[in-house]
Amino acid sequence: MRWWFFLGLVFLCLGEWGIGQESEEYRLVPGDVINILVLNDQSLSGEQIIGPDGFIRLPLIGAIQAAGLTLDELTERLQQALSKFIRRPKLAVTLKQFPASLRRVYVLGEVKNPGAYQIPPGITPTVFDAVALAGGFTENADLTQVRIFQRDGQNTNLNLREFQVSKYAVNPGDLIWVPPAFVKVSIVGAVEKGGIYPVPVHGTLIDALAAAGGVKEQSAKIRVFRAGTELLTVPWSDLTSGSIPPLKLQEGDTVLVSITTITGIVVAGAVKQPGTYDLKENVTVLGALALAGASVEPGKPLQVRVLRQGKEVMKILWQETSMPTKELGQNLQQGDVVIVEPMVLRATLVGPVRKPGSYLLPIGSTVVDLLAKGEEILPNADLAGTYLLRKGESKPIDLLKLLWESEISENLELQDGDVLLVPAIRKVWVAGAVLRPGAVDYQPHMTVVDAISAAGGPINLDISDLSQVKIVSGNDVKVINLEDAFKGGSLQSYPLKPGDVVLVPERAKAYIYGAVLKPGAVRLQEGDTVLTALSNAGGPIADARLDEARLIRFVNGSAIVMKLDLGKALSRGDLSQAPVMQPGDVLYIPPRRRSQWDITRVIGITTSLATAIYYLSRTR
């Protein structure tokens, strides 16, 4: 048992024993960094990064699947693999490091401290764990309608009052939305008792009016205001008859029950005590605001509107830095309605932008205004996959259409509490001479070799030109040589970022047509002559006119035709008739049956192909 004691001392020294214990049920994912310690064998010990394919690679045993396993399961699997080479191998596996940028969840809505939170190392958090990081639920939280918006665009509804659902695990990048059970609405005018009332989120306008004691007169008109806009004016009789479609109220809405004659004045909106106030003497606008407990905060200006007999007679902008004394000093009349509305809203920008966060914006601001607060959209942003989260509902927004095609319909007007979610591209594209070209999932610390391996690897080392691999990252293009890496030599990192493109070109080609056994493309090695190419094409057929061969080469976009006598090259060794071929060259050998061979026609036939080859070679 001394070896266990030894391993325990090592863990304590490294400060990782606690992480290992906490991680007992954690399942490894690509990008995790683990530490493997094999007793008495330093060559097998050390740090390993789980690759994008989910494997780690060790001497002797090669590739071992690690992603999806717990630390104990991976330890057991390594012991089984090593037992073929080492008698009773003793080893331990610990979690060294999590990729911090991916260990983050967003918790918004009815929690005490909404925001983004790092997932502590060593746990796979449940939804309750994530909410605990945000300080827990508020009293107004609706636990039956919690929504999880996943990084891949999927979303799930949860009822957290159900025991099994409460154990639902969240993943890095997920957003948890805890909706309110009630919204606060101002109800004023001809009701039994005006004020601010909590209304169920799915309640109706009639439910809200019932909370205020009901409407006093059947002839009343019901008016609903939201963010400075009158949404609805409807007779009370029409509302009770069911002829009006139900309206879903939102936080901060004002419901005004208007009648022909109102005793006193009505103050509604963003005030502490909305309601009807008796007009016993002259009262100014400022006096009415004071009665209702209105106050302006720094950076949050208010708009005060005065309605008289259904028409707007006054609009006042009230800011903390400047008080419009003259306008606020105007006297009110019997029946006037004073509506106080905030001039700013708060919206949150989440994702790969320069400055994500929550911002105060003027009423009427749009998606573009919020993006401007983020200063810069980073290259790994998935613009086409963006969506707007509003009151727990999501609406897709295509920022590509908005920003590059000026599709104004995508530039939605914001409401207070909106969250604009810009997901990060979690893909790297691998194109060219690989077995499975296309997108591969990006993983932390991913290198160009990892990406090519995840795409199935090169087609063939004779076909794939690994000496000219391109990495396209935004506007930057880097050409690297990976031949040694794929032949077992030195391995350089060449790290990638999400959204990068890896291009693996095919090796140089030339083309042979006419009287040969296998016309078409042939591979070129450095120094190959037309005779080598002729051999690779299967050699000439019986009636080949070797003395009338033509080599067509494009130089700076212009075709140059060279007449060659391959008969002399073959029979006499005249190398002047067998020049070295270049990528994109076209060799044509006519058959004898066409003694009146027309070189102009041959050039015409091959020009389109050679032109394409030439321009392709310029991009290699």
Side-chain angles (χ1 to χ4, degrees):
M1 298 296 290
R2 284 181 296 175
W3 69 279
W4 282 115
F5 176 73
F6 169 74
L7 290 181
L9 288 178
V10 172
F11 291 141
L12 288 173
C13 292
L14 293 175
E16 296 174 339
W17 181 256
I19 294 179
Q21 293 293 90
E22 292 173 4
S23 306
E24 186 176 1
E25 295 304 319
Y26 173 72
R27 295 198 174 272
L28 298 166
V29 296
D32 281 348
V33 181
I34 59 176
N35 189 72
I36 299 174
L37 182 61
V38 180
L39 190 64
N40 298 325
D41 197 328
Q42 293 299 315
S43 65
L44 297 174
S45 302
E47 291 183 6
Q48 289 280 336
I49 299 176
I50 300 177
D53 55 359
F55 285 79
I56 58 174
R57 291 163 175 82
L58 294 173
L60 293 181
I61 59 178
I64 292 289
Q65 175 75 38
L69 302 180
T70 66
L71 293 176
D72 288 343
E73 290 170 345
L74 179 57
T75 301
E76 182 179 354
R77 184 168 294 188
L78 290 173
Q79 283 176 329
Q80 292 174 355
L82 286 173
S83 63
K84 299 176 183 178
F85 306 95
I86 301 174
R87 185 179 180 183
R88 295 179 182 176
K90 296 177 176 60
L91 69 147
V93 182
T94 56
L95 194 59
K96 178 72 176 179
Q97 172 188 330
F98 287 90
S101 61
L102 292 184
R103 303 293 296 172
R104 178 181 296 170
V105 294
Y106 301 89
V107 189
L108 301 175
E110 292 299 322
V111 292
K112 293 180 180 178
N113 300 300
Y117 292 92
Q118 291 293 122
I119 299 174
I123 68 169
T124 300
T126 67
V127 63
F128 275 128
D129 294 328
V131 170
L133 293 174
F137 300 104
T138 66
E139 295 181 355
N140 195 33
D142 183 359
L143 274 62
T144 65
Q145 299 291 328
V146 174
R147 299 190 72 185
I148 310 296
F149 295 86
Q150 297 168 334
R151 190 172 59 190
D152 60 3
Q154 303 296 317
N155 60 80
T156 304
N157 292 333
L158 298 178
N159 181 354
L160 296 185
R161 296 192 184 278
E162 297 178 2
F163 176 73
Q164 294 298 328
V165 175
S166 66
K167 295 184 177 181
Y168 183 91
V170 295
N171 298 307
D174 286 355
L175 185 146
I176 301 169
W177 171 261
V178 182
F182 299 90
V183 293
K184 294 180 180 178
V185 177
S186 297
I187 305 174
V188 294
V191 292
E192 292 296 333
K193 187 177 180 181
I196 299 177
Y197 290 91
V199 177
V201 170
H202 299 290
T204 65
L205 187 53
I206 293 179
D207 295 330
L209 292 168
V215 175
K216 288 184 176 180
E217 294 188 16
Q218 292 298 312
S219 61
K221 288 187 177 181
I222 312 301
R223 307 173 69 184
V224 180
F225 297 87
R226 178 178 299 163
T229 302
E230 185 170 345
L231 294 182
L232 178 70
T233 298
V234 57
W236 169 244
S237 57
D238 289 353
L239 188 64
T240 55
S241 68
S243 60
I244 304 298
L247 174 68
K248 185 178 179 180
L249 296 173
Q250 295 184 9
E251 185 81 13
D253 284 354
T254 296
V255 179
L256 171 62
V257 180
S258 176
I259 58 178
T260 305
T261 57
I262 297 179
T263 302
I265 57 174
V266 175
V267 185
V271 295
K272 294 180 181 178
Q273 298 173 338
T276 303
Y277 293 87
D278 292 335
L279 190 61
K280 298 179 180 178
E281 55 186 24
N282 290 337
V283 175
T284 64
V285 175
L286 183 59
L289 296 175
L291 288 172
S295 62
V296 64
E297 301 177 16
K300 296 182 179 180
L302 298 174
Q303 177 178 269
V304 181
R305 302 168 62 207
V306 178
L307 306 180
R308 183 170 295 157
Q309 296 180 355
K311 297 181 180 180
E312 183 177 285
V313 296
M314 199 180 308
K315 182 186 291 184
I316 306 167
L317 178 61
W318 185 14
Q319 301 184 72
E320 188 261 346
T321 54
S322 61
M323 179 178 289
T325 307
K326 180 178 179 181
E327 291 83 354
L328 291 177
Q330 296 288 323
N331 288 329
L332 294 173
Q333 297 181 13
Q334 195 89 352
D336 282 353
V337 178
V338 180
I339 299 179
V340 182
E341 300 158 337
M343 290 298 292
V344 295
L345 58 85
R346 182 173 293 276
T348 302
L349 179 60
V350 176
V353 294
R354 182 69 62 192
K355 291 185 176 180
S358 293
Y359 295 97
L360 289 175
L361 298 168
I363 294 291
S365 294
T366 64
V367 166
V368 169
D369 298 318
L370 180 56
L371 288 172
K373 290 292 186 180
E375 293 191 356
E376 180 186 358
I377 302 175
L378 301 181
N380 63 323
D382 183 3
L383 298 182
T386 301
Y387 57 96
L388 186 71
L389 179 63
R390 175 174 293 168
K391 309 300 182 185
E393 303 294 329
S394 62
K395 177 179 177 58
I397 295 179
D398 191 336
L399 293 183
L400 279 176
K401 289 184 178 180
L402 172 59
L403 300 177
W404 274 269
E405 300 177 17
S406 301
E407 187 63 51
I408 303 301
S409 62
E410 300 290 332
N411 192 25
L412 300 182
E413 184 172 324
L414 298 173
Q415 296 182 14
D416 189 56
D418 280 355
V419 179
L420 185 64
L421 293 166
V422 184
I425 295 175
R426 308 309 303 173
K427 300 286 185 181
V428 169
W429 282 266
V430 184
V434 292
L435 288 174
R436 296 191 298 272
V440 299
D441 290 332
Y442 173 80
Q443 303 296 339
H445 314 295
M446 188 180 229
T447 67
V448 64
V449 174
D450 294 330
I452 294 174
S453 298
I459 295 175
N460 185 294
L461 295 183
D462 294 329
I463 296 176
S464 305
D465 187 0
L466 295 173
S467 67
Q468 296 291 320
V469 175
K470 288 183 179 179
I471 303 175
V472 182
S473 183
N475 295 324
D476 298 328
V477 179
K478 180 188 295 182
V479 180
I480 60 177
N481 187 342
L482 294 178
E483 284 190 331
D484 289 342
F486 280 89
K487 290 180 180 178
S490 60
L491 178 62
Q492 294 177 286
S493 60
Y494 298 115
L496 298 176
K497 301 188 300 296
D500 283 355
V501 179
V502 178
L503 299 173
V504 181
E506 292 189 14
R507 292 194 181 276
K509 293 180 182 178
Y511 300 84
I512 301 183
Y513 296 99
V516 293
L517 284 175
K518 296 185 292 185
V522 294
R523 305 288 175 190
L524 277 188
Q525 302 289 337
E526 187 175 355
D528 282 355
T529 67
V530 291
L531 295 180
T532 309
L534 179 61
S535 175
N536 291 338
I541 61 177
D543 68 342
R545 189 75 181 271
L546 295 176
D547 60 333
E548 290 290 345
R550 292 294 191 275
L551 180 67
I552 301 142
R553 176 173 296 165
F554 270 67
V555 178
N556 296 327
S558 300
I560 297 176
V561 180
M562 292 177 274
K563 180 181 178 181
L564 301 175
D565 188 342
L566 296 185
K568 289 183 179 180
L570 289 170
S571 61
R572 304 178 187 177
D574 186 353
L575 297 183
S576 66
Q577 299 299 308
V580 174
M581 295 196 76
Q582 297 180 8
D585 281 356
V586 178
L587 179 64
Y588 184 85
I589 301 175
R592 290 187 180 278
R593 63 179 178 272
R594 298 190 62 184
S595 57
Q596 301 299 319
W597 182 64
D598 185 356
I599 185 61
T600 304
R601 186 173 182 183
V602 173
I603 294 175
I605 294 172
T606 59
T607 292
S608 59
L609 174 63
T611 302
I613 296 167
Y614 167 71
Y615 285 107
L616 179 62
S617 66
R618 294 183 63 189
T619 62
R620 292 172 61 84

